[in-house]
Amino acid sequence: MKIICIGRNYIEHAKELNNPVPKEPVFFMKPDSALIRNNKPFFLPDFSNEVHHEIELVLKIDRLGKAIEEKFAHRYFHEVGIGVDFTARDLQRVAKEKGLPWEKAKAFDGSAPLGGFLPADTLPDPITFRLDINGKTVQQGTTADLIFSFDRVIAYISRFITLRTGDLIFTGTPAGVGPVKRNDRLQGYIGDRLLLDFVVK
Ligand code: ZN
């Protein structure tokens, strides 16, 4: 399986990192070794002094598809979950300045804690979600603020890359990203459902 992540999919987040609002989706990938499941702890890597949390809704692809039409894209996922796209912001800054790829900053071991999923047809439209750290809400988002809808994202990615059952799409983070530190407890919610709950070590 593969993990595909959308960058800059919420206007306020693009602005907070001084990025232009994109005209088409920006995406990048993480390997399966990035995944952390079952609320296992996240260990801060020794190569970064600035690991940021990015809470994101995650689509679980459950059908093979290539060049999917936007109007059929909803048929390719039936569950929506929540995860964190951990980012070594200091390494990403250097990569951006030099025009280099982002993998070191985005795809490292443990950079994708993944929580539980809910059936898509039980979720309201728009979907709200949030991240609490040590009991305090630090990021909250709503799919009403997406620049590119789930369907648009699936159609776009599948022009370039075949989607397979089990692939995950991290759909971008709302504003409020910031550093995590040792002993932080991160809790991710869709609506009021706690679906992700782990500590930083
Ligand atoms: Zn992200």
Side-chain angles (χ1 to χ4, degrees):
M1 57 82 67
K2 55 190 175 286
I3 304 166
I4 302 170
C5 306
I6 306 297
R8 305 170 195 170
N9 206 9
Y10 292 85
I11 289 172
E12 292 306 318
H13 170 61
K15 282 187 191 160
E16 75 180 343
L17 295 183
N18 294 317
N19 289 315
V21 175
K23 294 197 171 49
E24 47 183 34
V26 174
F27 71 83
F28 57 89
M29 294 173 70
K30 296 184 190 246
D32 59 2
S33 44
L35 276 182
I36 301 178
R37 296 182 191 270
N38 304 317
N39 294 325
K40 293 212 174 87
F42 167 72
F43 288 88
L44 284 169
D46 60 7
F47 48 76
S48 173
N49 294 311
E50 193 184 1
V51 174
H52 276 197
H53 55 79
E54 296 190 356
I55 192 75
E56 310 202 359
L57 292 173
V58 180
L59 309 179
K60 191 189 284 183
I61 297 297
D62 57 12
R63 190 172 163 180
L64 180 75
K66 182 170 175 58
I68 299 163
E69 281 187 63
E70 192 172 329
K71 65 183 176 196
F72 297 132
H74 64 277
R75 298 181 184 175
Y76 289 79
F77 70 97
H78 295 87
E79 289 180 278
V80 178
I82 198 152
V84 175
D85 164 21
F86 273 128
T87 304
R89 196 70 74 198
D90 43 359
L91 301 191
Q92 188 193 31
R93 204 172 291 124
V94 172
K96 275 185 183 173
E97 282 165 11
K98 295 184 177 170
L100 293 171
W102 291 2
E103 272 79 359
K104 269 198 303 193
K106 286 284 197 181
F108 57 87
D109 285 356
S111 61
L114 182 68
F117 284 79
L118 298 172
D121 59 8
T122 66
L123 292 169
D125 184 15
I127 302 168
T128 59
F129 61 106
R130 72 175 205 267
L131 175 67
D132 289 1
I133 299 187
N134 304 325
K136 195 171 146 231
T137 300
V138 294
Q139 284 189 274
Q140 45 192 337
T142 164
T143 53
D145 293 339
L146 279 172
I147 300 171
F148 305 108
S149 69
F150 294 163
D151 291 348
R152 176 93 193 274
V153 157
I154 287 171
Y156 186 82
I157 293 169
S158 71
R159 282 170 55 191
F160 305 94
I161 298 175
T162 298
L163 295 176
R164 294 204 179 103
T165 297
D167 289 349
L168 300 171
I169 301 177
F170 280 58
T171 56
T173 199
V177 301
V180 294
K181 58 186 190 312
R182 196 158 284 118
N183 298 321
D184 279 347
R185 181 178 181 186
L186 278 65
Q187 294 174 302
Y189 293 81
I190 295 179
D192 287 323
R193 295 280 301 273
L194 175 64
L195 295 168
L196 179 63
D197 186 356
F198 67 97
V199 293
V200 176
K201 293 201 168 180

